[in-house]
């Protein structure tokens, strides 16, 4: 998907609907999607992760069980973003990019540290809290994906 | 019987993370174990390119991450859902937001550890290392380590201070 289209039709509207838009949170989700899926893949090759943000089903389910189900207002907003009916399923993230974006934002909401504002620090934030120190991703990989897919629009390159 | 002298590795770390997906590698981690693997069952560095694995971590990243392969059949670890002949041992990353001397020191220790492993590997020595599976493993009824995938992690080299 084109980065500007992804920004303007998926990420920003979802963050606004969640009452949670900031430039930093938008850049965080855009960078996460660029790195995790190259804005192409919605099913991990050789792994369980789903959607543009490549969230694993266990993480999706944990967000519901241990976070969203204790936050009625946020829960309602996420359910309103989701297009499918019935109990939320991890597989919804594969076919519903707005729901996938909402769940990615929820995952970051569980991080106590605030989102940094510089793109380079956002790359480190993704590595620490989304990919995690155990994950195979690297900060330099995030920056490479950012520079390849998110520049010159909607963002400037990370030097 | 070991194929050769072992590389003794000084490990043990205390790094606490509270983020989602954070991992434990303390001595109390039930998945923590010691690996002794003959040299012929180890693949690392540029040799990984000769296997069916594709990795960008054959050598340490800026965060100190690297990966080493060990033949599944050379260990007592059970990994029925790992379709590869190899288990993958990854060194966890050291990352900070902004510059942090402690993180830089941790990365340096990991690079030094990789260099030690590679030197031993090049000399034909066995791999001896403390590893853990974190969220990707558990202990089976008989105490055997059971992996959900192919992943293991090196226990990070400890600070000398």
């Amino acid at each position: 998907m084109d980065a500007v289209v992804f920004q303007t039709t998926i990420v920003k509207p979802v963050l606004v609907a969640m009452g949670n838009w900031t430039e930093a949170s938008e850049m965080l989700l855009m960078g996460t999607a660029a790195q995790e899926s190259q804005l192409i893949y919605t099913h991990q090759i050789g792994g369980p992760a789903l959607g543009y943000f490549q969230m694993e089903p266990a993480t999706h389910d944990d967000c519901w069980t241990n976070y969203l189900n204790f936050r009625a207002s946020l829960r309602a907003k996420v359910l309103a973003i989701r297009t499918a009916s019935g109990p939320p399923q991890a597989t919804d993230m594969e076919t519903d990019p707005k729901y996938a974006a909402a769940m990615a934002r929820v995952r970051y909401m569980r991080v106590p540290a605030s989102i940094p504002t510089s793109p380079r620090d956002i790359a480190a934030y993704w590595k620490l809290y989304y990919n995690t120190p155990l994950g195979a991703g690297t900060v330099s990989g995030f920056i490479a994906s950012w520079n390849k897919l998110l520049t010159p629009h909607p963002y400037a390159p990370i030097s | 019987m070991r194929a050769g002298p072992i590389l003794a590795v000084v490990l043990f770390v205390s790094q606490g993370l509270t983020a989602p997906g954070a991992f434990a590698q303390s001595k109390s981690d039930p998945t923590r174990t010691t690996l002794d693997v003959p040299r012929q069952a180890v693949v690392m560095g540029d040799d990984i390119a000769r296997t069916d694995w594709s990795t960008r971590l054959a050598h340490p990243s800026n965060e100190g991450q690297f990966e080493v392969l060990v033949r599944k059949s050379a260990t007592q670890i059970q990994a029925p859902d790992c379709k590869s002949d190899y288990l993958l041992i990854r060194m966890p990353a050291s990352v900070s937001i902004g510059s942090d001397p402690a993180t830089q020191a941790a990365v340096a220790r990991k690079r030094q550890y990789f260099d030690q492993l590679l030197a031993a590997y090049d000399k034909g020595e066995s791999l001896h290392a403390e590893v853990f599976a974190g969220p990707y493993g558990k202990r089976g009824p008989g105490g055997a380590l059971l992996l959900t995938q192919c992943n293991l992690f090196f226990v990070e080299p400890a600070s000398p201070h």
Side-chain angles (χ1 to χ4, degrees), chain A residues 35 48 56 107 110-114 116 121-125 127-141, chain B residues 15 17-23 56-57 61-63 65 67 90-93 95-98 132-136 149 153:
Chain A
Q35 167 62 8
E56 294 189 2
R107 182 170 173 188
R110 303 178 70 179
V111 176
S114 58
D121 287 344
I122 283 174
Y125 190 89
K127 175 57 190 169
L128 263 176
Y129 300 117
Y130 199 92
N131 184 259
T132 80
L134 295 186
T138 62
V139 173
S140 60
Chain B
Q15 177 177 336
L17 291 175
T18 56
F23 57 95
R56 284 164 288 185
L57 296 171
S61 70
N62 292 337
E63 295 82 42
Q65 285 180 286
E67 294 176 340
R90 181 181 301 140
M91 176 61 80
V95 190
S96 62
I97 297 174
F132 67 102
Y136 301 99
Q149 299 176 26
F153 303 93

Side-chain angles (χ1 to χ4, degrees), chain B:
Chain B
M1 177 75 78
R2 288 181 177 143
I6 62 168
L7 169 67
V9 181
V10 180
L11 302 164
F12 308 110
V13 167
S14 59
Q15 177 177 336
L17 291 175
T18 56
F23 57 95
Q25 54 171 300
S26 69
K27 288 181 180 176
S28 62
D29 184 332
T31 69
R32 183 167 169 158
T33 191
T34 303
L35 271 187
D36 285 299
V37 183
R39 163 62 180 83
Q40 59 266 34
V42 180
V43 183
M44 68 178 296
D46 294 336
D47 288 348
I48 292 181
R50 298 179 193 161
T51 71
D52 57 350
W53 278 89
S54 173
T55 179
R56 284 164 288 185
L57 296 171
H59 294 271
S61 70
N62 292 337
E63 295 82 42
Q65 285 180 286
F66 60 85
E67 294 176 340
V68 174
L69 302 179
V70 297
R71 278 204 179 274
K72 205 163 44 173
S73 57
T75 76
Q76 300 295 312
I77 295 169
Q78 298 173 15
D81 292 328
C82 174
K83 304 307 179 195
S84 171
D85 292 336
Y86 295 99
L87 301 178
L88 178 77
I89 315 175
R90 181 181 301 140
M91 176 61 80
S94 292
V95 190
S96 62
I97 297 174
S99 180
D100 173 50
T103 300
Q104 292 168 1
V107 170
R109 286 195 300 275
K110 291 174 181 183
R111 288 176 171 272
Q112 184 179 37
Y113 180 49
F114 175 84
D115 290 343
Q116 290 173 328
L117 290 178
L118 188 61
Y121 176 79
D122 287 341
K123 285 191 281 187
E125 297 173 355
S126 300
L127 172 72
H128 177 77
E130 290 286 312
V131 300
F132 67 102
Y136 301 99
K138 63 181 181 181
R139 290 288 176 181
L145 180 54
L146 178 65
L147 302 186
T148 58
Q149 299 176 26
C150 304
N151 300 67
L152 285 167
F153 303 93
F154 286 107
V155 174
E156 300 180 29
S159 166
H161 307 294

Side-chain angles (χ1 to χ4, degrees), chain A residues 12-81:
Chain A
K12 190 165 185 177
V14 163
L15 291 173
V16 170
M18 295 173 81
N20 206 255
W21 181 86
T22 63
E23 186 175 28
S25 65
E26 180 192 300
M27 289 194 295
L28 177 62
L29 289 198
M30 289 294 294
T32 299
Q35 167 62 8
E36 295 285 345
S37 68
Q38 302 294 297
L39 301 179
I40 296 173
Y41 305 105
T42 57
H43 198 118
Q44 185 180 21
I45 300 165
L50 297 169
Y52 285 111
F53 299 86
Q54 296 282 283
M55 183 181 287
E56 294 189 2
T59 305
H60 169 275
D61 295 350
D62 186 67
C63 284
W64 278 99
T65 303
N66 294 311
Y67 193 78
L68 283 169
N69 284 340
F70 296 96
R71 290 159 177 82
S73 173
L74 180 61
R75 181 180 189 277
K77 288 173 182 170
V78 173
L79 287 175
I81 289 165

